[in-house]
Amino acid sequence: MANLVVHFEIHASEPQRLVDFYSELLGWRFTQFGDYPYWTIDTGEGAIGNTDGAAGHGINGGLAQRQGPPPEVGAPVNGCNVVVAVDDVDETYRRAIGLGGSDALPPEDMAGVGRTATILDPDRNLIGFISPVLSDGTRVM
């Protein structure tokens, strides 16, 4: 069995604020898990949960009530960083900023990797974006 990552979690001081942010930005669907302060995240078609578990598919996650203060701006990463594959890094980055996110690393081309950017969501969680297409249209992955 491969040791694939099959779930992620985002912690939120104000869960509804991040539910709204990610629903609008990425089209993710959230469902509250019973009466608990926890929401499942359906990231869309191709996510794990498919019966054959084919490689290359995305994963679903969860959003949990944060149990302490959010990380300070500029603080080192304390946990894992989630990177989301998107069609257009620059447009997704602009939309994220417009929806209340803030800049962490602006869009840039990374040779051999693709176009990337990282934002802080409204609760200061780091979220990265990646596309295999560089700004000049070259496909690198």
Side-chain angles (χ1 to χ4, degrees):
M1 174 180 202
N3 296 311
L4 300 174
V5 176
V6 297
H7 184 80
F8 67 92
E9 286 186 347
I10 299 171
H11 291 240
S13 300
E14 299 174 47
Q16 190 60 52
R17 185 174 179 199
L18 292 191
V19 165
D20 295 344
F21 178 80
Y22 288 109
S23 295
E24 180 69 24
L25 179 64
L26 300 172
W28 291 352
R29 294 178 302 277
F30 292 77
T31 304
Q32 188 163 1
F33 189 74
D35 293 330
Y36 298 99
Y38 191 88
W39 291 255
T40 59
I41 303 171
D42 181 343
T43 61
E45 290 183 28
I48 292 300
N50 54 5
T51 56
D52 62 3
H57 291 279
I59 62 174
N60 290 318
L63 185 130
Q65 176 73 50
R66 188 180 297 281
Q67 299 300 308
E72 294 297 323
V73 173
V77 175
N78 184 8
C80 294
N81 183 17
V82 175
V83 179
V84 180
V86 298
D87 291 329
D88 185 331
V89 166
D90 295 83
E91 177 60 23
T92 304
Y93 173 85
R94 280 191 290 275
R95 288 184 57 233
I97 301 301
L99 290 168
S102 57
D103 174 64
L105 294 170
E108 66 177 329
D109 289 339
M110 294 183 69
V113 175
R115 187 121 176 108
T116 66
T118 304
I119 59 110
L120 293 166
D121 74 14
D123 207 28
R124 299 193 293 259
N125 296 296
L126 279 173
I127 302 293
F129 305 120
I130 190 169
S131 169
V133 181
L134 300 176
S135 58
D136 67 2
T138 303
R139 187 175 190 85
V140 295
M141 287 193 286

